[in-house]
Amino acid sequence: MDVEAVTKYSKLHAKPLGFFLQYGTAGFRCKAGNLNHVMFRMGLLAVLRSKKTKSTIGVMVTASHNPEEDNGVKLIDPSGEMLAPTWEDHATFLANAEEPQLHCVLTEICQKEAVDLQNKAFVVIGRDTRPSSKELSQSAIDGISVLGGQYQDYGLVTTPQLHYMVRCHNTQGSYGTPTVEGYYQKLSKAFLELTMQAASQKDGHRGLKIDCANGIGALKLKEMEPYLSESLAIDLANDGREGKLNHMCGADFVKVHQKPPVGLQMNPGERCCSLDGDADRIVYYYVDTACHFHLLDGDKIATLISTFLKELLMK
């Protein structure tokens, strides 16, 4: 480990004295202006995790359904899953170390986890559409580079897309091609095969209105639409051309307030859904003929999917 280089770069991403953050299920999240040092250090940690597992690790810059002024970061483990709990503790420890202790903390993590610093490291990184995300991504890249890690910057992607990329890299392509196009091809193929015999394919109900929360989901759905052929007609609302990210729209807003998002016009019987800011959460809903709002949350969606699969198996 090049202590001098780490110290030099860390000063460019200096931690505010006494500032504390806890790594949780959603990673780190707070006001974007307080995250420069955190991003740099998560770049460092991603390299150590990659060297430890001898696998590709992901770094996603996003704060999901939080307000546009916030941002965050979460690491993705080799199979595309969340970071291992013991390494969540390392993330918290590293992010909160004061500048003079940074090298000691890195050394302690390496010793506890028996990290062989001679191993190669490869990290993939992605970000959402927040104004702060590009600069914060660069801070993470600085952390990756200073420890000698290699990286691939996927730029603007959804969180599920980056999880997919990590898994593809670590399965040598057997899970799929680690590109955005590979992601679209895999998901659209599965969707078309699954819905081929669905009743909705025969009754003309192929439309879906999608509230994109003024986030990354809009960009990626526009790219994916051609892959869906004529099986699904999508109508995008809150696509980022107007309005702020997650402001009075998005999955969390709809779930909490139990009402449609601003910017999406609903008619009785129309199928509608909302994504969150990084497109890793979805809720469905509709209004009936009396204009009463009905939300289909995760439990209800799971029940509907189970019923659909049962019907297919009974045919």
Side-chain angles (χ1 to χ4, degrees):
M1 186 187 304
D2 189 337
V3 178
E4 185 176 341
V6 171
T7 301
K8 176 183 176 181
Y9 270 85
S10 183
K11 289 179 180 178
L12 299 176
H13 305 280
K15 174 187 176 295
L17 188 64
F19 186 78
F20 182 87
L21 279 178
Q22 178 77 38
Y23 193 103
T25 303
F28 290 116
R29 290 185 192 176
C30 70
K31 295 298 181 184
N34 295 324
L35 283 170
N36 187 9
H37 72 288
V38 175
M39 296 295 177
F40 172 72
R41 295 177 184 201
M42 290 307 98
L44 299 175
L45 190 68
V47 170
L48 297 185
R49 182 64 174 156
S50 179
K51 289 177 180 288
K52 166 66 177 180
T53 60
K54 299 180 182 179
S55 304
T56 297
I57 297 297
V59 176
M60 184 66 197
V61 179
T62 181
S64 191
H65 60 270
N66 280 38
E68 186 174 273
E69 296 76 16
D70 292 355
N71 217 320
V73 60
K74 47 190 171 184
L75 271 60
I76 303 169
D77 254 1
S79 293
E81 75 274 43
M82 295 187 296
L83 184 65
T86 53
W87 281 75
E88 289 185 5
D89 294 338
H90 294 327
T92 298
F93 192 30
L94 182 60
N96 294 300
E98 301 300 344
E99 291 295 329
Q101 283 75 50
L102 181 60
H103 175 250
C104 293
V105 171
L106 288 170
T107 301
E108 184 174 339
I109 293 172
C110 290
Q111 291 174 345
K112 282 185 176 180
E113 297 293 340
V115 176
D116 185 349
L117 293 175
Q118 299 305 311
N119 289 340
K120 294 181 179 180
F122 189 75
V123 179
V124 294
I125 186 167
R127 66 180 190 272
D128 68 12
T129 55
R130 295 168 193 271
S132 59
S133 289
K134 187 173 183 179
E135 183 177 348
L136 291 175
S137 291
Q138 185 57 54
S139 296
I141 289 172
D142 286 349
I144 296 166
S145 300
V146 77
L147 282 187
Q150 300 297 308
Y151 69 90
Q152 181 172 351
D153 184 1
Y154 280 97
L156 292 169
V157 290
T158 68
T159 292
Q161 285 177 332
L162 196 69
H163 281 259
Y164 166 84
M165 303 304 177
V166 172
R167 187 172 179 86
C168 287
H169 277 284
N170 289 319
T171 55
Q172 291 71 52
S174 65
Y175 185 73
T177 305
T179 63
V180 172
E181 291 75 18
Y183 178 88
Y184 296 147
Q185 290 168 357
K186 185 179 179 71
L187 262 68
S188 61
K189 181 175 182 291
F191 175 79
L192 294 173
E193 290 177 354
L194 182 64
T195 59
M196 192 176 298
Q197 300 182 49
S200 61
Q201 294 293 309
K202 302 171 184 177
D203 61 12
H205 294 158
R206 299 181 179 181
L208 179 64
K209 289 187 173 181
I210 306 175
D211 159 33
C212 299
N214 291 313
I216 186 66
L219 296 178
K220 298 307 170 180
L221 278 169
K222 288 175 183 176
E223 293 176 359
M224 188 174 182
E225 188 173 8
Y227 292 84
L228 297 173
S229 184
E230 298 179 356
S231 63
L232 182 66
I234 59 175
D235 181 7
L236 305 184
N238 298 318
D239 62 1
R241 289 179 294 181
E242 298 178 3
K244 293 180 65 175
L245 178 70
N246 294 323
H247 180 63
M248 299 184 72
C249 60
D252 191 63
F253 173 86
V254 173
K255 171 74 172 177
V256 171
H257 295 278
Q258 296 286 306
K259 66 179 183 180
V262 171
L264 188 147
Q265 299 298 319
M266 297 179 64
N267 297 312
E270 288 183 332
R271 297 184 296 181
C272 305
C273 69
S274 287
L275 307 174
D276 65 350
D278 61 337
D280 69 347
R281 181 182 303 185
I282 188 169
V283 294
Y284 284 84
Y285 45 90
Y286 66 95
V287 293
D288 58 26
T289 53
C291 291
H292 294 145
F293 178 79
H294 298 269
L295 177 70
L296 304 179
D297 60 12
D299 292 339
K300 292 181 180 178
I301 292 171
T303 301
L304 287 172
I305 292 174
S306 299
T307 302
F308 171 60
L309 293 176
K310 180 181 177 181
E311 291 174 353
L312 290 181
L313 292 171
M314 292 177 65
K315 287 184 178 180

